[in-house]
Amino acid sequence: MTKPIFSLCLLLLSLSSFAVMPETASVNPYIHLATIQKLSKTDTWKKLLVYEPSGLLGAEIESAIQTKEFFLAPDGRTNPAAELLATLQAFSQPVSGDPDSHAQCRFPARYQWLKSELGLTDESVTPVHCPEFSEWSEYGDAKSLSIIFASGYLGNPASYYGHTLLKLNSKDQDRTQLLDTSVNFGAIVEDGEDPVSYIFKGLFGGYKGGFSHAEYYFHNQNYGELELRDLWEYELDLTPEQVDFVLAHTWEVMGKEYQYFFLNKNCSFRLGELLEIIDGVKANPDNDFWVIPQSQILELDKATLNGNPLVKAITFQPSRQFRLYSRFRTLQDRHKSMVAEAIANPHILDTDIFQSERMDDRFSILDTLLDYYQFLGQTASEDDKHAIEQAYHNVLAHRYTLPPGGSNPTYEKPVSPDEGREPSLIQLGLRYDDELGGGMTVNIRPAYYDSLDGGAEHAEFGELIMGQVELSMFDDKVIVDGVDFVSIQSLATEATGLPGDGYDSWRLKAGLQPAQPDCSATCLTLQLEGDRGYTAMATDHLALSGFVGAAVRDNKQGAGNLEGRITVNAVANISERINALFEYQHKKQIDGSRSDLNSFRFDTRYQISKNRELRFSYEHDESDEFTVLFGHYW
């Protein structure tokens, strides 16, 4: 026993500057101190403990996990070497009581990695059977892992940019994937939190966050059925050993507390960390300021592992809304009218008018009605749900009178998010103002899209802008054209027009706007804007909208406090590469501080490549202004 005791003393003495260590150890006392220190500095160990730069200029490290039980050394949150030695010692302890509370069961990924790195055998460290972890991880029956991307949802600030989660794909071919386990990271928010507090706390780390797990059915129902968001599944090409390692690490961090940040340390970033536990996998983009779910999908699409693409299969899972709209579009006009009549008067399904239709057409009409009532029931009030259920069952009864079979429309799969552009934009250009002359302009938009550059993963002809800054320079004068904290536009471009699915549209905007056209930074005024309106699709590629709204602002230089306005705009996809927008606005100062104002603008965008663009705009406000911009997405 002399040599083991002597070696342990050397370890304790050498690590005394790191932490106070346990008094006994039984894991291979011949492991050299240099090996312990070397392993504690590896990227994998730092990833296992979720260590991040901290302190002044990031000179120190600290784990992102705040839960004390995640660490086995007293100072394990900030001391990788102490935590590694404490982990080794805990692994060798005998089982006493519940095996699931043993260190090997609490930290299976640490156990797998250290066993491999140090060459530990079953004789040196006795393996512990872990019932809870084995059951959760499908007893090794998870054949693969998938990243699920839920498209953006403008009805909830937390979902503006989309969402990603992890799904465990079972080997059991007879089991529906809805029963597969899924893993989600999110903020822990109290019920009833108002949107302003939610956004503020989310931006500045006011919430705790953490991983949770549930059957995939829960997320499919929430995103695809309730929030009507399309889902994209990206199955990853990983070996069984790599799958097991990711699951083992996921188990370790499950339920542990993190600090949640809406822009960067969010659901996508933390999910990417789970995948990056595998050497050679890069899932998160190189951006310290914001991580948008689609950016992660773009990164995964570019990623390779051992010379092969990391993503091996992409599957589209349409939402209830997508299925309804796709089926409704395939109907002939008279069949669309019959669907509307059947909603207003269900007895029409019993008349000769309906019964005389071809069998396939009756299938299509009834199946569209079934989709419609299921779609409507997801968002209906409790008072309306009973009537909707009755109408649904009435249509279902008619459907059962037809022979087996029916309409199975082929959905046109939209462009997948991995084919989209980068989310951030910088524009440089030339501007001419008939009062100020010629100058230059610079626009920076961290996120995300406007009505001219939205892709398939964005709301059609919609807008979601955050943090945009627009500057112009005329001679030696710098003019702040505007700062958009947030600008949102939602146009109902695909609605059926059926009851409960109208063409209602809305816009919201908050930011700093100049009180006068040639304003410098000193006369910016805080302005809040809101509009409600209606959108009609003149063609498949032209949306016409009208809005009535108001703006409230701080009164500077006679700009007034309250403004009413009427807006008419048209947005068109002229070709695959060319989009255009025209907007007219009549503004009336409610407080009478200045005269009414008519303004209009015309913008057109030409897509040079996926991440390059050229724009031309003409705007008439209190002066005429022409702008040419070159844009780069990053």
Side-chain angles (χ1 to χ4, degrees), residues 104-169:
Q104 290 185 30
C105 298
R106 292 166 55 200
F107 307 108
R110 297 192 204 181
Y111 177 67
Q112 291 179 21
W113 184 72
L114 287 172
K115 187 175 181 180
S116 173
E117 291 294 315
L118 296 175
L120 301 178
T121 64
D122 291 350
E123 288 72 27
S124 59
V125 178
T126 303
V128 178
H129 175 63
C130 307
E132 288 186 0
F133 171 65
S134 297
E135 181 179 3
W136 178 82
S137 60
E138 307 276 354
Y139 295 99
D141 283 341
K143 68 173 183 178
S144 65
L145 301 175
S146 292
I147 295 295
I148 304 295
F149 173 81
S151 60
Y153 173 57
L154 294 180
N156 181 353
S159 304
Y160 283 167
Y161 297 102
H163 185 71
T164 52
L165 56 103
L166 182 71
K167 184 165 78 74
L168 286 60
N169 302 316

Side-chain angles (χ1 to χ4, degrees), residues 550-610:
V552 180
R553 59 175 167 260
D554 181 29
N555 187 2
K556 279 190 177 182
Q557 300 186 7
N561 293 113
L562 182 61
E563 169 189 288
R565 63 195 187 188
I566 298 174
T567 305
V568 177
N569 75 9
V571 190
N573 286 334
I574 297 174
S575 70
E576 185 176 341
R577 291 182 176 269
I578 302 176
N579 298 331
L581 175 148
F582 173 81
E583 181 169 290
Y584 166 80
Q585 199 167 68
H586 175 76
K587 305 174 184 178
K588 181 177 180 60
Q589 299 304 125
I590 305 300
D591 55 9
S593 58
R594 66 179 180 184
S595 60
D596 295 355
L597 181 66
N598 293 308
S599 66
F600 57 85
R601 67 187 178 104
F602 172 77
D603 295 333
T604 184
R605 174 182 184 265
Y606 175 73
Q607 180 182 340
I608 300 172
S609 62
K610 184 166 72 171

Side-chain angles (χ1 to χ4, degrees), residues 404-431:
S407 61
N408 292 304
T410 301
Y411 302 126
E412 183 180 349
K413 189 174 75 171
V415 177
S416 58
D418 56 280
E419 298 182 54
R421 55 165 178 76
E422 297 292 343
S424 303
L425 172 66
I426 183 169
Q427 296 171 312
L428 302 174
L430 301 176
R431 176 168 291 172

